[in-house]
Amino acid sequence: ASNLSKFSHIMRETLESTYKEFISIEQEIEFLTQYLEVQKVHFPGTFSYEMNTSEDLETDELFIPPMIIQPFIENSIEHAFAGLGYKGEINVSFQKKNKELLISITDNGKGLPSPGQKNSEHISRATQIIRDRIYLLNRKLKTKAAYQISNGENKPGAQVMIQLPLIYKDQILNASS
């Protein structure tokens, strides 16, 4: 019953996020935690995860576009950890650097396919959706948000770095008034 409740909440949040331009980091962490807990039931013993925020981050005051992190986590679980001989690990961290929010998503999975390997259609769809969201964000706020995907440095896995502008709650409230 608890897992069904979590799954229902994830579905509701996913549907509602299509109508929201921004959500707080706090809401995003709550959503991702529930998503990861449901995935742990679906893939028992396959992975563990950790979420970190820097101490200077006001998670209830800073906002990000919804559903910008989840596709990368889903890719780690369903593709990077498939057939691994060891337990997967996902680490998501949020920190402020200068006037930007840096979000790092790392895993210890298979890493990115080499140029000769077949690339997953799932990756390209998720990548295109995120690319579009960042493009719209940059256009609307005249910012330079971006993301980059690379193989882990000196260890297995992949790393996603997302750079977003610092968007505070009062900016969103003022923009919608």
Side-chain angles (χ1 to χ4, degrees), residues 112-123:
L112 300 174
S114 62
Q117 290 178 306
K118 184 176 180 244
N119 201 353
S120 167
E121 197 173 304
H122 172 79
I123 295 170

Side-chain angles (χ1 to χ4, degrees), residues 30-80:
E30 181 183 320
F31 169 77
L32 292 172
T33 300
Q34 289 195 348
Y35 173 77
L36 284 158
E37 287 300 317
V38 168
Q39 289 290 56
K40 283 177 80 172
V41 171
H42 189 239
F43 298 99
T46 303
F47 71 94
S48 61
Y49 68 91
E50 192 174 313
M51 300 244 190
N52 300 296
T53 57
S54 59
E55 289 183 23
D56 62 341
L57 211 60
E58 308 91 348
T59 59
D60 59 333
E61 294 291 322
L62 277 169
F63 281 63
I64 63 173
M67 299 300 289
I68 206 160
I69 300 169
Q70 183 275 339
F72 294 117
I73 291 174
E74 180 179 346
N75 188 61
S76 291
I77 296 167
E78 295 189 2
H79 301 286

Side-chain angles (χ1 to χ4, degrees), residues 23-149:
I23 61 170
S24 70
I25 293 173
E26 183 176 64
Q27 290 170 306
E28 180 72 356
I29 290 172
E30 181 183 320
F31 169 77
L32 292 172
T33 300
Q34 289 195 348
Y35 173 77
L36 284 158
E37 287 300 317
V38 168
Q39 289 290 56
K40 283 177 80 172
V41 171
H42 189 239
F43 298 99
T46 303
F47 71 94
S48 61
Y49 68 91
E50 192 174 313
M51 300 244 190
N52 300 296
T53 57
S54 59
E55 289 183 23
D56 62 341
L57 211 60
E58 308 91 348
T59 59
D60 59 333
E61 294 291 322
L62 277 169
F63 281 63
I64 63 173
M67 299 300 289
I68 206 160
I69 300 169
Q70 183 275 339
F72 294 117
I73 291 174
E74 180 179 346
N75 188 61
S76 291
I77 296 167
E78 295 189 2
H79 301 286
F81 297 159
L84 277 187
Y86 53 90
K87 190 171 185 174
E89 295 173 7
I90 297 172
N91 189 304
V92 180
S93 69
F94 299 82
Q95 66 177 339
K96 274 199 276 191
K97 188 171 183 181
N98 301 324
K99 295 185 180 184
E100 291 184 319
L101 174 67
L102 297 182
I103 304 167
S104 168
I105 307 146
T106 58
D107 70 45
N108 66 341
K110 296 175 186 171
L112 300 174
S114 62
Q117 290 178 306
K118 184 176 180 244
N119 201 353
S120 167
E121 197 173 304
H122 172 79
I123 295 170
S124 59
R125 262 197 316 268
T127 301
Q128 187 58 52
I129 290 166
I130 292 163
R131 190 177 294 134
D132 292 346
R133 292 194 99 151
I134 287 178
Y135 170 78
L136 293 171
L137 176 71
N138 285 335
R139 229 175 125 186
K140 180 176 183 168
L141 300 180
K142 296 175 180 32
T143 59
K144 292 186 178 174
Y147 75 96
Q148 188 175 32
I149 306 171

